[in-house]
Every structure is written in C-alpha cells, then in structure tokens.
Amino acid sequence: MMIRPATFQDIPELKKLLDDSVRGLSKGYYTTSQIDSALKYIFGIDTQLIIDGTYYVVETDGNIAGCGGWSRRKTLYGGDQHKELHDTLLDPISEPARIRAFFVHPDYARRGIGRQIMDFCEGEARKHGFSSLALGATLPGVPLYKAMGFTEIDQVAEPLQDGEKLELVRMIKNI
C-alpha cells in the first residue's frame, strides 16, 4: 500500500470511492434517505485540501483504496458543496488541526488503511505546529476514531437542505 498526495486527476476515482464507501459502510447506521442526502449535501471532495497538499490517497492493487487528510483551515467536514467559500486558516497554537474526509472502499475496510492515513496526517499536523486534532465523525467512523485515541466532545444533528438530519460526532485528540 502506497500513500501519496491526492491530485485533481484523482477526483473522478475519489468521487466513486466516496460513494461506495458511504453506501457500503453506513448501512445500519443511517437510513438510505439520510445516506442519499448526505452524499448530495455534505460528503464530497474538498478541493482546497488538494490545493493545500494535505489530502492523501492510499493505492493498492492499482486502485485508490482509501483517502483522507488533515487541514489547517476552519472547515470541520464537508465537500466543496457544503462549506464557506473563504476557509480561513487556524492558529496552531490555540486551535486543533482538522482531520478531514476519510473514506475507505468497503472491499479494503479493516485492513489498516484508515490508520495509515491517520498516522501520516498526525505527523504532518505536528510538523506544522499543531498539538491537537479535531474531526466530525460519521457514526460508523466513531469506533475507529476512539481506537485511535480520539474522545467524543458532543453529537450534532446536521440539518440537510431536504429536511433530513445526519448524526455526526465531534471528536478531539491531543498529539
């Protein structure tokens, strides 16, 4: 398995991976309607992460098996369609770096891909002066993030434009 920075050329494959991951790994946590709405209104590629060079892919068997990143910007979760146009920078002294948009293809789940990306992101955030990480976890991601040392801050019912709500868990970790 090789980790590398994501590129704009990866976006079509990342969109497919994201859809497969959410649909395949969120069953039993969210309804089909919540999944469809989340894919439309929240989950997506945040191209600012690619521009910043802080979004990564793991390739195995010639395919992108997983992706995720970290950010020194305020947005906690969501693709381009969900965030503010101007995404201001965080202060590494007083604010946690953001862990962003982790998705693993169901065929590669539970093989350490998420942990590999997380370890890489933690190291990069540390290099940039951050001492803590924050994320907005989907319900299927909570056990993984807890196993990686994150603690729950609170739960959020994110309202979606079509009236659905998506339960997310805000989490934090000192690094």
Side-chain angles (χ1 to χ4, degrees), residues 1 12 17 19 23 26 38 55 72 93 95 97 101 112 140 153 159 164:
M1 291 187 286
L17 166 68
D19 190 85
R23 291 188 189 285
S26 294
Y55 201 59
R72 54 185 154 259
I93 302 301
E95 297 176 291
I153 298 170
E164 287 288 343

Side-chain angles (χ1 to χ4, degrees), residues 55-120:
Y55 201 59
Y56 309 100
V57 298
V58 169
E59 292 180 317
T60 185
D61 304 327
N63 299 307
I64 296 177
C67 57
W70 74 279
S71 181
R72 54 185 154 259
R73 297 182 183 275
K74 295 239 185 240
T75 298
L76 186 61
Y77 53 84
D80 288 344
Q81 79 278 26
H82 180 71
K83 64 180 203 155
E84 300 290 324
L85 290 177
H86 185 66
D87 199 0
T88 59
L89 293 172
L90 298 164
D91 177 3
I93 302 301
S94 62
E95 297 176 291
R98 308 305 197 226
I99 293 299
R100 300 287 314 282
F102 271 55
F103 298 98
V104 175
H105 192 280
D107 292 346
Y108 296 97
R110 292 163 190 68
R111 294 190 192 182
I113 291 170
R115 186 173 295 275
Q116 180 183 359
I117 299 169
M118 182 65 74
D119 289 345
F120 191 81

Side-chain angles (χ1 to χ4, degrees), residues 4 15-16 27-28 53 58 62 83 87 91 97 113 116 121-122 133 140 143 157-158 163 175:
R4 65 167 175 80
K15 286 181 177 179
K16 172 106 172 68
K27 291 177 189 172
V58 169
K83 64 180 203 155
D87 199 0
D91 177 3
I113 291 170
Q116 180 183 359
C121 289
E122 282 185 25
L133 304 171
E158 179 73 31
I175 55 174

Side-chain angles (χ1 to χ4, degrees), residues 5 12 20 27 29-30 41 44 52 61 69 80 83 85 117 125 136 142 150 154-155 163-164:
D20 290 344
K27 291 177 189 172
Y29 293 92
Y30 300 116
Y41 298 115
D52 289 346
D61 304 327
D80 288 344
K83 64 180 203 155
L85 290 177
I117 299 169
V142 170
F150 283 84
D154 61 9
Q155 295 187 355
E164 287 288 343

Side-chain angles (χ1 to χ4, degrees), residues 2-49:
M2 180 186 84
I3 189 168
R4 65 167 175 80
T7 67
F8 280 95
Q9 290 73 32
D10 293 323
I11 289 177
E13 191 173 352
L14 289 172
K15 286 181 177 179
K16 172 106 172 68
L17 166 68
L18 191 151
D19 190 85
D20 290 344
S21 177
V22 172
R23 291 188 189 285
L25 301 177
S26 294
K27 291 177 189 172
Y29 293 92
Y30 300 116
T31 66
T32 301
S33 181
Q34 286 174 305
I35 291 169
D36 290 342
S37 294
L39 284 165
K40 183 175 182 180
Y41 298 115
I42 296 179
F43 301 140
I45 307 303
D46 182 345
T47 53
Q48 185 65 56
L49 298 174

